[in-house]
Amino acid sequence: MDARAHSSQEVLSTLQALVADDLKRVNQVIIDNMQSQVGLIPQLAGHIVSSGGKRLRPLLLLMSARLCGYAGDRHVPLAACVEFIHTATLLHDDVVDESELRRGKATANAVFGNKASVLVGDFLFSRAFQLMTRDGSLEVLRILSDASAVIAEGEVMQLLTSNDLETDEAAYLRVIESKTAKLFEAACQIGPVVADRPAADIEALARYGMALGVIFQLTDDLLDYSAEQAALGKTIGDDFREGKITLPVIVAHERGTAEERAFWSRTMEELDQREGDLEQAIELMRRHDAFGETLRRAETYGEIARASLQGFADGIERRTLDELISFCIARGF
Amino acid sequence: MDARAHSSQEVLSTLQALVADDLKRVNQVIIDNMQSQVGLIPQLAGHIVSSGGKRLRPLLLLMSARLCGYAGDRHVPLAACVEFIHTATLLHDDVVDESELRRGKATANAVFGNKASVLVGDFLFSRAFQLMTRDGSLEVLRILSDASAVIAEGEVMQLLTSNDLETDEAAYLRVIESKTAKLFEAACQIGPVVADRPAADIEALARYGMALGVIFQLTDDLLDYSAEQAALGKTIGDDFREGKITLPVIVAHERGTAEERAFWSRTMEELDQREGDLEQAIELMRRHDAFGETLRRAETYGEIARASLQGFADGIERRTLDELISFCIARGF
């Protein structure tokens, strides 16, 4: 781990410490609201809710509220809503991807079956809307119902671009803006909304969240080809095995020779994959600087995110949100 | 078709004629709102939305609004919401049941794949909440987010009771009240809510909807074993093949000999099914009056539904809702 990554890890700890009390309350709301007289629901939901996620989206909501000087309690259940929506999409994503591992643990659907994963996802999604309704803000309901529709569109787009090397960077960006960054955007907007801040602040934090979400997915897509991750014992190559067309693939394919393109076509479009193909893919990405290109794109979005924070008062909250940008980019190094 | 069934068919036509203009507008809202720049979404949603459903839930919402003298426009998009939630559950149900036919047409997931069905269901569900948010009534949002959570719980309960002959009538009723009747209840409540009627009217129509929904599912479960349906060319035996424990099975199993119970255990629990087993199941149900018992249960709920309408002014609306009860029961004959 280089110095840059090290200081970035500290950012995450600072972030979590800053809102530690709130985060504890969010976790309690999550546990309370995934209960049901149908025992399988908390059992299955607990499997994914407790599977070591960073709670990044709730953290963003809590921090954006704090940045805006919010002193009430509404941000706590709303942060739980955002996590429920995220968890529901994970449950449905595991089904649709036919994946069997997530963060190294068996996915919920591998343990409990596809059927239960779809239905428990539906349950958590409904719970999120029950909590929002109890909160009573139509503006929050608008933000999160809009986000949910966009996320579903993004997931369908991803389905359509899978195994299709015609997918260009613009199409890829539309997918990740929709399926990932939209919920980051929503989480960051809700802080200024509950704090009753002017539209300009809501828009600025929306821009911050959208850019941070794009960075997060860019580095996520890069890490799936990271030899360093593999050396740390993490699973890599999930996207490769599914033929998911991410930016590293797009860049390597675009810059590749005819022979290399045939390799991409065989492995990603026909899903005809053999021993050593993942290593070959990583080698081609290195050769064509696909990782560097992906990180440069992340840094561009980093500039947007940083600029979005400029209107807010200086302080530990703004500095932490600013450092979070570097953290999300540094994940990719 | 006997005279009873014939007059019942007329009820459905009367019902549809009474709210024909509204229903046309509902269909337009449905078409407008299933659009997306992602072409697969309207394509797949259209497959199920246009697959010949009776639009019973939107009809109930429109009629309950009319019964309550509602003169505004809000019932139209809200009826579309109810249909979207219903369609989303159908899409997810097709996935979870691994069924390949619905109403004799290939299910969406058989044509487009499980992945797309889950995601388009999520999209329609989100759209429903977008439309409700636009309507702006927190009371409607509460009714439909509560209903959605209960539906998901009911579907999970159904999963857990499948292939389990220990399931008794009480457990079966909890399943169908949740997975089916809850949305009927919600549809019937929204009419008096938008018409700003007192709580007693909302509760009465909730009772009507709940009872009607139970009747609807009881007869639906019965029709899956109907030789008459088979003679009309309809697919029967779907529940049998999946080992779904419905009331006809519960009654026949409970009243069966040791040998017959062994038959139910082999076919429903072990899913070891052979040529002629469906016919044998129907024969056992006939022998033990399982169909008669199911219909008597439907008639009991019919009394509850009828009583719930008594506080409303006499007129074509109340008479039609009353006759709809008989129609739903007569489907089973």
Side-chain angles (χ1 to χ4, degrees):
Chain A
M1 203 182 281
D2 66 15
R4 185 169 183 175
H6 180 69
S7 89
S8 293
Q9 283 296 345
E10 280 173 13
V11 174
L12 198 61
S13 310
T14 309
L15 179 60
Q16 284 168 331
L18 267 174
V19 291
D21 285 348
D22 283 350
L23 196 58
K24 207 181 282 177
R25 290 164 67 207
V26 171
N27 283 330
Q28 195 55 52
V29 173
I30 287 174
I31 289 162
D32 292 348
N33 281 281
M34 71 190 197
Q35 298 312 312
S36 161
Q37 79 270 37
V38 185
L40 181 60
I41 291 177
Q43 194 188 344
L44 197 154
H47 182 84
I48 194 153
V49 157
S50 68
S51 70
K54 288 179 287 298
R55 299 264 195 278
L56 198 47
R57 296 154 192 83
L59 275 171
L60 285 171
L61 193 155
L62 298 174
M63 277 299 288
S64 76
R66 207 185 153 99
L67 177 72
C68 293
Y70 179 64
D73 286 315
R74 292 172 53 204
H75 59 325
V76 170
L78 293 176
C81 288
V82 167
E83 188 70 1
F84 275 159
I85 292 174
H86 172 56
T87 307
T89 65
L90 287 186
L91 281 165
H92 288 184
D93 211 36
D94 284 344
V95 172
V96 303
D97 286 347
E98 287 154 18
S99 50
E100 291 183 359
L101 287 172
R102 175 176 296 279
R103 299 193 195 103
K105 288 181 70 172
T107 59
N109 72 317
V111 177
F112 301 95
N114 267 352
K115 302 187 178 201
S117 286
V118 172
L119 298 173
V120 174
D122 290 349
F123 176 80
L124 293 179
F125 199 63
S126 303
R127 268 286 186 270
F129 280 93
Q130 287 181 296
L131 284 169
M132 283 179 249
T133 302
R134 226 171 289 157
D135 173 72
S137 160
L138 287 168
E139 181 60 9
V140 169
L141 278 155
R142 190 191 58 70
I143 290 170
L144 284 174
S145 62
D146 286 356
S148 300
V150 169
I151 291 167
E153 287 181 314
E155 296 271 0
V156 176
M157 276 192 270
Q158 173 169 276
L159 207 59
L160 296 171
T161 60
S162 271
N163 315 111
D164 181 3
L165 286 165
E166 301 269 297
T167 309
D168 59 11
E169 187 178 332
Y172 164 78
L173 284 172
R174 269 198 305 279
V175 169
I176 70 172
E177 282 169 6
S178 305
K179 71 158 188 163
T180 305
K182 193 73 190 174
L183 194 56
F184 280 68
E185 178 190 76
C188 292
Q189 275 178 292
I190 293 173
V193 166
V194 296
D196 226 357
R197 296 277 288 234
D201 287 357
I202 300 172
E203 282 157 26
L205 280 169
R207 264 198 312 283
Y208 171 84
M210 173 56 74
L212 193 74
V214 170
I215 294 168
F216 184 82
Q217 190 61 56
L218 281 166
T219 50
D220 215 55
D221 289 347
L222 188 154
L223 287 174
D224 201 58
Y225 291 98
S226 157
E228 290 76 13
Q229 291 286 308
L232 289 171
K234 303 206 174 164
T235 311
I236 65 164
D238 283 345
D239 295 345
F240 184 72
R241 280 182 289 275
E242 290 168 25
K244 217 180 255 180
I245 309 299
T246 58
L247 191 56
V249 175
I250 293 170
V251 172
H253 174 259
E254 199 180 81
R255 297 179 180 176
T257 62
E259 194 189 337
E260 289 169 14
R261 289 186 176 211
F263 166 83
W264 291 114
S265 179
R266 170 173 66 77
T267 53
M268 303 299 278
E269 295 194 320
E270 298 159 31
L271 286 182
D272 169 11
Q273 299 184 4
R274 303 162 197 170
E275 183 88 32
D277 276 350
L278 176 60
E279 293 70 20
Q280 171 70 358
I282 293 172
E283 169 52 30
L284 294 179
M285 287 170 179
R286 280 220 185 92
R287 185 180 307 166
H288 295 295
D289 194 29
F291 299 130
E293 199 60 49
T294 302
L295 282 170
R296 279 190 288 283
R297 208 67 83 256
E299 279 169 344
T300 306
Y301 281 91
E303 291 312 309
I304 298 171
R306 262 179 215 107
S308 310
L309 295 175
Q310 276 170 5
F312 295 90
D314 191 22
I316 181 83
E317 290 83 9
R318 189 180 118 176
R319 278 200 302 278
T320 307
L321 285 172
D322 192 276
E323 284 164 17
L324 187 60
I325 303 166
S326 309
F327 166 72
C328 284
I329 298 172
R331 291 204 318 151
F333 280 96
Chain B
M1 203 181 283
D2 65 17
R4 187 169 180 174
H6 180 68
S7 89
S8 293
Q9 283 295 344
E10 280 174 10
V11 175
L12 198 62
S13 311
T14 308
L15 179 62
Q16 284 168 333
L18 267 174
V19 291
D21 285 349
D22 282 350
L23 196 58
K24 206 181 283 177
R25 289 164 67 206
V26 171
N27 283 329
Q28 194 56 51
V29 173
I30 286 174
I31 289 163
D32 291 349
N33 281 280
M34 69 190 198
Q35 298 312 312
S36 161
Q37 80 270 35
V38 185
L40 180 60
I41 291 177
Q43 194 188 343
L44 197 155
H47 182 85
I48 195 153
V49 158
S50 68
S51 69
K54 287 179 287 299
R55 298 266 196 275
L56 198 48
R57 294 153 194 83
L59 276 170
L60 284 171
L61 194 155
L62 298 174
M63 277 299 288
S64 75
R66 206 186 154 99
L67 177 72
C68 294
Y70 180 63
D73 286 316
R74 292 172 52 204
H75 60 325
V76 170
L78 293 177
C81 289
V82 167
E83 188 70 1
F84 275 160
I85 292 175
H86 172 57
T87 307
T89 65
L90 287 186
L91 281 165
H92 288 184
D93 211 35
D94 284 345
V95 171
V96 303
D97 287 347
E98 286 154 20
S99 51
E100 290 183 1
L101 286 173
R102 177 176 296 278
R103 300 193 195 106
K105 288 181 71 171
T107 59
N109 72 317
V111 177
F112 299 96
N114 266 352
K115 302 187 179 202
S117 286
V118 172
L119 299 172
V120 174
D122 290 348
F123 176 79
L124 293 179
F125 199 63
S126 304
R127 270 282 188 271
F129 281 93
Q130 287 181 297
L131 284 168
M132 282 179 250
T133 301
R134 226 172 289 158
D135 171 72
S137 160
L138 287 168
E139 181 61 9
V140 169
L141 277 155
R142 192 191 58 72
I143 291 170
L144 284 174
S145 61
D146 286 356
S148 299
V150 169
I151 291 167
E153 288 182 314
E155 297 271 1
V156 176
M157 278 193 269
Q158 173 169 276
L159 207 59
L160 296 171
T161 59
S162 273
N163 316 111
D164 180 3
L165 286 165
E166 301 269 298
T167 309
D168 61 11
E169 187 177 331
Y172 164 78
L173 283 173
R174 271 198 303 278
V175 169
I176 70 173
E177 282 170 6
S178 304
K179 73 159 187 161
T180 306
K182 194 71 189 176
L183 195 55
F184 279 68
E185 178 190 76
C188 290
Q189 276 178 292
I190 293 173
V193 165
V194 296
D196 225 357
R197 296 275 290 233
D201 287 357
I202 300 172
E203 282 157 27
L205 279 168
R207 265 198 311 282
Y208 170 84
M210 174 55 73
L212 193 74
V214 170
I215 294 168
F216 185 83
Q217 191 61 56
L218 281 167
T219 51
D220 217 55
D221 290 346
L222 188 155
L223 286 172
D224 202 58
Y225 291 98
S226 157
E228 291 76 13
Q229 291 286 308
L232 289 170
K234 303 205 174 165
T235 310
I236 64 164
D238 283 344
D239 294 344
F240 183 72
R241 279 182 289 276
E242 290 168 25
K244 218 181 255 180
I245 310 298
T246 58
L247 191 55
V249 174
I250 292 170
V251 172
H253 174 259
E254 197 180 81
R255 297 180 180 176
T257 62
E259 194 189 336
E260 288 169 16
R261 288 186 176 211
F263 166 83
W264 290 115
S265 179
R266 170 175 63 79
T267 53
M268 302 299 279
E269 294 194 321
E270 297 158 32
L271 286 182
D272 169 11
Q273 299 184 3
R274 303 164 195 168
E275 182 89 32
D277 277 350
L278 176 60
E279 293 70 20
Q280 171 70 359
I282 294 172
E283 170 51 29
L284 294 179
M285 287 171 178
R286 280 220 184 93
R287 186 181 304 166
H288 295 295
D289 195 28
F291 299 132
E293 201 60 47
T294 302
L295 283 169
R296 278 189 289 282
R297 208 67 83 254
E299 278 169 344
T300 305
Y301 281 91
E303 291 313 308
I304 298 170
R306 263 180 213 105
S308 310
L309 295 174
Q310 275 170 6
F312 295 91
D314 191 22
I316 181 83
E317 290 84 8
R318 189 179 116 177
R319 278 200 303 278
T320 307
L321 285 173
D322 192 275
E323 285 165 17
L324 187 60
I325 303 166
S326 310
F327 165 73
C328 284
I329 299 174
R331 290 201 322 149
F333 280 96

